[in-house]
Amino acid sequence: GSTLVTANVFTHVTAVYDATLLRQALYVNGLLDARSYGSVAPYRGSSSGATTTIGRTASTAGLQYFNGLAMIISYELEIE
């Protein structure tokens, strides 16, 4: 996305996956900040070794860690 996040200011970030349209969207403070423009396959992890990591990413520079405080983290799975 393009929203700049200011240090020491609460920012609400939400990531949404639409399984019908196969798209991802990122909202910052309730406003759409970024979305995918192609088909994105759903995460199909298994219970044998699959992990979800929040606050870290791997890049060509190595592991990059989030330097801040995550107040509330929730994961919701909706099955229809």
Side-chain angles (χ1 to χ4, degrees):
S2 61
T3 301
L4 297 177
V5 177
T6 305
N8 301 314
V9 174
F10 179 82
T11 305
H12 182 263
V13 180
T14 303
V16 177
Y17 178 74
D18 185 322
T20 302
L21 298 175
L22 301 176
R23 287 197 296 200
Q24 297 170 327
L26 182 68
Y27 293 86
V28 178
N29 293 326
L31 300 174
L32 180 63
D33 187 61
R35 71 173 143 185
S36 61
Y37 286 97
S39 293
V40 178
Y43 176 71
R44 300 262 186 225
S46 67
S47 60
S48 60
T51 59
T52 298
T53 303
I54 298 173
R56 185 187 80 187
T57 184
S59 69
T60 56
L63 294 177
Q64 303 293 313
Y65 292 89
F66 171 68
N67 185 18
L69 176 65
M71 298 292 290
I72 301 170
I73 297 174
S74 66
Y75 175 83
E76 296 180 28
L77 178 62
E78 184 177 318
I79 301 174
E80 296 183 19

